[in-house]
Amino acid sequence: MTIISENFQRIENKIRRVYSAADNKPREKPVLLAVTKNQSHEAIKEALDGGHRFFAENKVQEAQGHWSVMKDNYPDLKLHLVGPLQTNKASDAVALFDCIQSLDREKLARALQDEILKQRKSISCFIQVNTGEEEQKSGLAPSALPAFLQFCREECSLKIDGLMCIPPVDEPAALHFALLKKLAKENNLKELSMGMSADFEKAIALGATYIRVGTALFGART
Ligand SMILES: *Cc1c(COP(=O)(O)O)cnc(C)c1O
């Protein structure tokens, strides 16, 4: 067995363990999104050969290099965008991704709506919430969520399925996961994308339905 497939097995076991011990858990075990940014084609191929089908990228252009051709060979593959999206890349993003987790402003919602109609695709969207209200970070302020959600649904007919957050590096992640869960509950949203290599166990204990793991699966990024 290769190191990467061992890592997948170890992480999947941890997910199962933490999920079965969690209180108030979602109906299904969280989905492991393998984050393949800065990884080689060989590493990606190993994950695919091991049977993994849920992946995430944080840049549209790099994702095209990794997946544009590959995606056609794996019809059951799901690809999520977890990094910031510029409106001028909305067309490429809609063409490639199944889910966009970084929706955070009206201009982007409009651009996505236009492309989804034009390309006749069905795309799942998560709203990224800036739970730490950090100046430099993308995402919507928690207080702006209800109005933005209404805008996305009523003005843009977008399919909004959940929320995503990236906690500040210098604060306990659990506080932010708990806040994201509360916001999802208040707004009737089912999916919660939270937790990365360092803190996915905490996120699962707090109700994550998607975790985003890169380095713990593939090793350090090159
Ligand atoms: C890179 C990245 C991850 C994965 O981070 P690791 O610490 O390598 O697991 C998760 N989410 C986002 C938004 C990322 O950009």
Side-chain angles (χ1 to χ4, degrees), residues 35 37 58 82-83 164 166 195-198 212-216 221:
V35 182
K37 68 178 185 212
N58 77 330
V82 297
M164 184 268 260
I166 307 170
M196 322 203 314
S197 291
R212 313 180 304 263
V213 180
T215 46
R221 287 180 277 271

Side-chain angles (χ1 to χ4, degrees), residues 4-217:
I4 289 177
S5 54
E6 277 175 19
N7 289 343
F8 268 93
Q9 219 166 61
R10 199 182 61 248
I11 303 281
E12 289 283 11
N13 285 341
K14 262 191 201 164
I15 293 172
R16 255 192 301 279
R17 223 168 28 239
V18 181
Y19 174 74
S20 25
D23 297 318
N24 294 324
K25 54 178 153 243
R27 272 225 329 266
E28 284 173 53
K29 174 170 80 70
V31 174
L32 170 61
L33 288 173
V35 182
T36 46
K37 68 178 185 212
N38 293 356
Q39 299 297 343
S40 65
H41 288 280
E42 290 72 30
I44 293 172
K45 196 68 182 31
E46 270 188 59
L48 286 165
D49 288 346
H52 199 73
R53 292 294 180 268
F54 294 89
F55 294 89
E57 291 275 355
N58 77 330
K59 292 201 181 86
V60 175
Q61 205 167 353
E62 188 190 1
Q64 286 174 319
H66 281 162
W67 296 105
S68 286
V69 177
M70 195 82 93
K71 211 164 173 262
D72 293 335
N73 302 333
Y74 298 89
D76 52 346
L77 190 141
K78 298 289 178 206
L79 194 58
H80 290 231
L81 177 65
V82 297
L85 177 58
Q86 294 168 280
T87 49
N88 64 6
K89 297 261 172 67
S91 167
D92 291 338
V94 167
L96 184 63
F97 291 96
D98 302 284
C99 176
I100 290 170
Q101 296 199 2
S102 47
L103 175 57
D104 64 354
R105 57 197 192 281
E106 293 192 356
K107 194 173 167 216
L108 179 59
R110 291 253 189 241
L112 288 174
Q113 171 198 30
D114 289 347
E115 282 305 323
I116 286 168
L117 288 175
K118 210 186 286 174
Q119 300 183 32
R120 298 168 181 274
K121 283 198 63 174
S122 166
I123 304 268
S124 168
C125 297
F126 295 4
I127 294 171
Q128 183 177 352
V129 182
N130 187 357
T131 55
E133 310 214 31
E134 295 171 282
E135 199 75 49
Q136 79 287 4
K137 202 169 266 175
S138 39
L140 192 79
S143 60
L145 183 60
F148 184 62
L149 191 56
Q150 188 175 12
F151 173 83
C152 290
R153 285 178 167 157
E154 290 173 16
E155 304 276 319
C156 305
S157 316
L158 290 174
K159 182 163 142 13
I160 309 292
D161 293 321
L163 301 177
M164 184 268 260
C165 78
I166 307 170
V169 287
D170 54 352
E171 288 179 28
L175 294 177
H176 296 271
F177 298 157
L179 172 58
L180 199 70
K181 183 180 181 176
K182 175 171 164 280
L183 291 168
K185 188 162 182 222
E186 285 169 359
N187 292 282
N188 260 317
L189 292 163
K190 178 166 162 273
E191 309 297 347
L192 276 174
S193 170
M194 55 192 201
M196 322 203 314
S197 291
D199 52 22
F200 69 87
E201 288 158 280
K202 253 179 249 148
I204 296 170
L206 287 164
T209 63
Y210 286 88
I211 59 171
R212 313 180 304 263
V213 180
T215 46
L217 292 171

